[in-house]
Every structure is written in C-alpha cells, then in structure tokens.
Amino acid sequence: MIRVQTQDFNVPEEYHLISQDNSDGAVVTFVGKVRDFNDGSAVTDLTLEHYPGMTEAVLNQIEVEARERWPLNKVTIIHRVGAMALGEQIVFIGVTSAHRKAAFAACEFLIDFLKTKAPFWKLEAGDKGANWVEARDADEQAAKMWDKKA
Amino acid sequence: MINVLFFAQIRELLGTASVKIEAGEHTQTAEGLRATLAATDDKWAKIMASDKLLVAVNQTISQWDTPIVDGDEVAFFPPVTGG
C-alpha cells in the first residue's frame, strides 16, 4: 500500500495492519524522522514538496521491483509532504515476509530507492534561513549497491 | 500544447510552477524544450543550463533525447531528496 499524505501516521496501527498473516515470520519497519541538524547546521523545521501523480507511480514501481527481488507479503510505504516540525515522522516503510533476511533487505532497498528515485524535495529552515537540501552522493551510492547484488 | 512543470528550487528560482509551450519543431525532444525555455531570458538560460537538472516526460525520468509530442507533460527538477 502506497500513501502520500500531509497528516502524520501511527506506527502501531500500521504495524497492526501488516502483521496479521501468520505465514509471515518477519515484520520489518523503518521510520524516518526530522532531525535537528544537517551538514553541521541547526534545523528547526522541514517542508517537503512532491510531484503529485509521478510520486505515487514511482513508489508503486519501487514496490514492484522489491517484490521481484524478494518473496514479500505486505508492503506499506507512507511518505508525508508539507510542513513538519523537529522530531516528526516523515516516512514509514513496513515489509513482511516468511523470513527475516528478505524483510530486512527489502526494507533497506525500499528506503534506498525511495531516497534516490521518488520525486520528493526537502526545504530545511534553520538558523541560517531556508535551504533546499542537496542530494547526497552517499544516497546515490547506497541505491547503486543494489545493482551489484542483483 | 506542452504542459511544463517545475519543482523545488527550480520552481522557486524561476518564480513559476508551470508554463504552457506551443509544440513545434524546436520542442521535439526534452533537450529542444530545454533550449526553448532557456531562450526566454538570462535567468531562464542560467537555470536551464544547470548540469544537475533532471527531466521527466509524462511522469517518467527521461533522457535529453527523449521525444516530446503535443499534449505531453514535461517536468524539470533538481535531484530528489526525500526519505
């Protein structure tokens, strides 16, 4: 399930929704939050912009690619857009599978791919004013690692 | 008409989220459309010349030689930073 929304999400509720199937021995979740620093500068809040339509299509495609690589059951990707304060949740990834290795790997793959392929952009506000976050080479490298393992 | 969208700092620098461009012989590829937009003025030329600029044609990340036809939606934006 793919959701792009302004409102916050509830982790126990999302966990409950994906963890009902007793054929799944593994449930792996990841939550990304607004942290209080970036590149040495203080961050006070964050605004996320996206490309409506394309964002959902790319997230669906990323889920399809994960399912081609690992035997997954439930997949949830929630990404928030709009204004977020320090400490707020930005993104939720939840994956279930019969075994833990597939669930861990798929969860990491999903966040690595989301960060480099899905059209979201972060605008950070802090003590030095508002700045668009620069794409990180480390994120691109992380996504490329999955090519070698394929 | 080609519906052209801009996102994040590209949108902010240009001061507009979208423009409509008449399809013609100079807009048959993403590169052609970029050159057409760059010809607007010095500000547009500078922003469209960014080597980090990405293009999506009909909501799919595309190459600069990707064909564009009348009615397409083309978006220009910087590298993505979600997650």
Side-chain angles (χ1 to χ4, degrees), chain A:
Chain A
M1 185 194 53
I2 308 291
R3 276 157 45 202
V4 179
Q5 62 190 41
T6 52
Q7 68 267 33
D8 198 9
F9 49 84
N10 181 296
V11 174
E13 268 175 30
E14 299 304 331
Y15 176 86
H16 181 76
L17 283 171
I18 59 173
S19 62
Q20 299 303 303
D21 198 328
N22 288 334
S23 66
D24 287 329
V27 181
V28 171
T29 63
F30 169 81
V31 175
K33 293 174 63 202
V34 181
R35 64 164 181 255
D36 66 358
F37 69 93
N38 193 31
D39 290 336
S41 300
V43 173
T44 51
D45 63 71
L46 192 71
T47 303
L48 264 142
E49 179 171 332
H50 78 305
Y51 182 172
M54 181 174 168
T55 308
E56 291 82 353
V58 170
L59 293 179
N60 274 305
Q61 183 56 38
I62 291 170
E63 178 182 341
V64 167
E65 286 182 34
R67 288 184 181 282
E68 284 168 358
R69 287 165 182 251
W70 297 280
L72 307 176
N73 185 4
K74 300 288 202 299
V75 173
T76 298
I77 303 174
I78 304 170
H79 204 298
R80 292 179 64 201
V81 292
M84 274 156 259
L86 216 58
E88 280 195 53
Q89 303 177 135
I90 305 171
V91 58
F92 176 90
I93 312 270
V95 177
T96 78
S97 185
H99 302 290
R100 74 181 185 282
K101 277 189 188 256
F104 269 126
C107 187
E108 194 172 10
F109 170 89
L110 287 166
I111 190 67
D112 282 348
F113 263 56
L114 180 155
K115 284 187 87 80
T116 53
K117 311 280 186 217
F120 293 104
W121 301 274
K122 281 177 180 155
L123 179 66
E124 282 178 344
D127 51 5
K128 292 173 187 164
N131 284 299
W132 289 98
V133 174
E134 291 273 327
R136 288 158 53 98
D137 288 344
D139 290 336
E140 192 61 42
Q141 291 302 322
K144 284 210 172 83
M145 287 283 288
W146 295 102
D147 293 342
K148 292 170 193 161
K149 289 179 192 172

Side-chain angles (χ1 to χ4, degrees), chain B residues 35-77:
Chain B
T36 300
L37 293 167
T40 307
D41 61 25
D42 287 352
K43 180 176 81 174
W44 283 68
K46 184 162 176 267
I47 295 161
M48 285 293 135
S50 166
D51 59 359
K52 299 247 174 175
L53 194 69
L54 300 178
V55 63
V57 178
N58 296 323
Q59 305 194 347
T60 302
I61 290 278
S62 300
Q63 303 301 311
W64 292 106
D65 60 358
T66 299
I68 291 172
V69 298
D70 198 21
D72 279 353
E73 177 178 292
V74 181
F76 293 93
F77 46 78

